[in-house]
Amino acid sequence: VQLQASGGGLVQAGGSLRLSCAASRRTLSTYNMGWFRQAPGKEREFVAAITWSGSTTSYADSVKDRFTISRGNAKNTVYLQMISLKPEDTAVYYCAADHIPYGGTPLSRRNDYDYWGQGTQVTVSS
C-alpha cells in the first residue's frame, strides 16, 4: 500500500490548512487511519485517528478543538482540517493506515500502523 499525503505548505499563525491522504493500488475504506507529525529533533507523535467507518475519532490534546480528521464520501481519502495553526504545529505530517480491517477503535500508537505516507511539510510562521 502506498499512501500519498498532500496539502502542506507555509501559513501564518492563526491560518488554516487541509491535508489529504489517499492510497494507490488499494482501497482505504475498511481500515483505520491516522495522522502523525514529526518536528525537527523530536519524536514522531500522534495527532489524530479515525476508524474505518468514520464514526469514531481521537485527537492529541495539543490539537483538540483545532484539528478535525474525516473521511471522504467513499471513505478512501482521509483529511486533516487544521485551523488556528500555531508555530508549534510546524512539522512533517504523515498519514498512516492499519492493515486489519474494520477496527473498532481509533489507534494512537505508531506501532499500531503498518503503512505510512511520505509526509507533507507544514510550516507555521509567527
Side-chain angles (χ1 to χ4, degrees):
V1 175
Q2 290 183 326
L3 301 178
Q4 187 76 26
S6 61
L10 173 63
V11 64
Q12 289 187 331
S16 303
L17 282 174
R18 188 175 83 155
L19 307 183
S20 300
C21 178
S24 60
R25 300 185 295 173
R26 182 174 178 177
T27 180
L28 298 175
S29 61
T30 58
Y31 299 91
N32 288 0
M33 300 287 296
W35 285 96
F36 289 73
R37 67 186 182 186
Q38 188 167 16
K42 294 188 176 181
E43 295 287 321
R44 190 172 299 187
E45 65 175 5
F46 169 72
V47 174
I50 190 167
T51 53
W52 69 275
S53 65
S55 62
T56 308
T57 57
S58 177
Y59 297 92
D61 289 342
S62 59
V63 307
K64 205 170 290 185
D65 299 326
R66 298 188 299 121
F67 291 10
T68 302
I69 188 171
S70 62
R71 306 191 78 121
N73 288 338
K75 298 186 173 54
N76 207 38
T77 304
V78 177
Y79 303 101
L80 185 68
Q81 178 68 50
M82 306 183 293
I83 66 170
S84 302
L85 282 161
K86 305 174 181 180
E88 51 264 44
D89 294 318
T90 295
V92 177
Y93 283 70
Y94 298 89
C95 61
D98 187 16
H99 78 284
I100 299 174
Y102 307 114
T105 304
L107 307 173
S108 61
R109 299 177 305 173
R110 288 177 57 183
N111 290 344
D112 290 329
Y113 293 92
D114 305 282
Y115 306 106
W116 293 83
Q118 85 290 357
T120 184
Q121 176 71 47
V122 172
T123 303
V124 184
S125 63
S126 57

